[in-house]
Every structure is written in C-alpha cells, then in structure tokens.
Amino acid sequence: ASKLKQYIRARSGMNTSDGVMKALSDIVRHLCDQAIRNAAADERKTVMDRDFSTDKLELDRPLRIRRRNRYAE
C-alpha cells in the first residue's frame, strides 16, 4: 500500500485518500478473476502473466494532470 502511495505522489505530487486502497483492491480482484477465466479456458491450473489481458488498459497513454486554479474567481 505504501509503495502505491509513493508511486502516486512521485508521478503526480498528489496525496491518496483512505478509499484508494479499497478501489485498487477491487480492480485487482476483477483483473485476477478474468485471468482465472483465461487460464481455465486454456485448461490450465496455473494463472500466468499472459492471462492478464492489457487490451483495454491505456498503458501507453501519457499522464496528463489538469490542475484547477484554487484562487480563480
């Protein structure tokens, strides 16, 4: 958990709220469920890295941070 918080801070300078870990855990569980289905479809009892599909993830998308001006009227 602390490494993920450090990553977010290093990438964006932002803090993380208490709810971030639960949200990330939900996402990881969903990805694991899909990987389990992929391994089962290949009739394997071992989940492998290739079972985690990244087709719909935007892994190559650059990070863009839009900051609001707190002092704007």
Side-chain angles (χ1 to χ4, degrees):
S2 63
K3 288 186 179 186
L4 289 172
K5 288 183 177 190
Q6 289 173 359
Y7 175 80
I8 290 171
R9 174 157 318 252
R11 288 287 303 224
S12 66
M14 297 178 183
N15 295 321
T16 54
S17 72
D18 291 336
V20 169
M21 290 302 114
K22 182 191 178 319
L24 285 173
S25 292
D26 290 345
I27 292 167
V28 170
R29 277 191 286 276
H30 175 78
L31 292 171
C32 288
D33 290 343
Q34 184 61 50
I36 291 165
R37 285 191 287 273
N38 291 341
D42 285 347
E43 300 178 352
R44 285 185 279 108
K45 292 186 177 188
T46 302
V47 174
M48 303 174 82
D49 57 343
R50 67 179 185 221
D51 295 316
F52 289 90
S53 173
T54 57
D55 293 343
K56 295 180 182 177
L57 299 177
E58 298 178 15
L59 298 176
D60 296 330
R61 184 176 170 201
L63 177 65
R64 294 186 187 162
I65 301 171
R66 261 180 75 192
R67 296 185 190 253
R68 282 192 341 217
N69 185 347
R70 296 170 65 174
Y71 305 105
E73 295 180 26

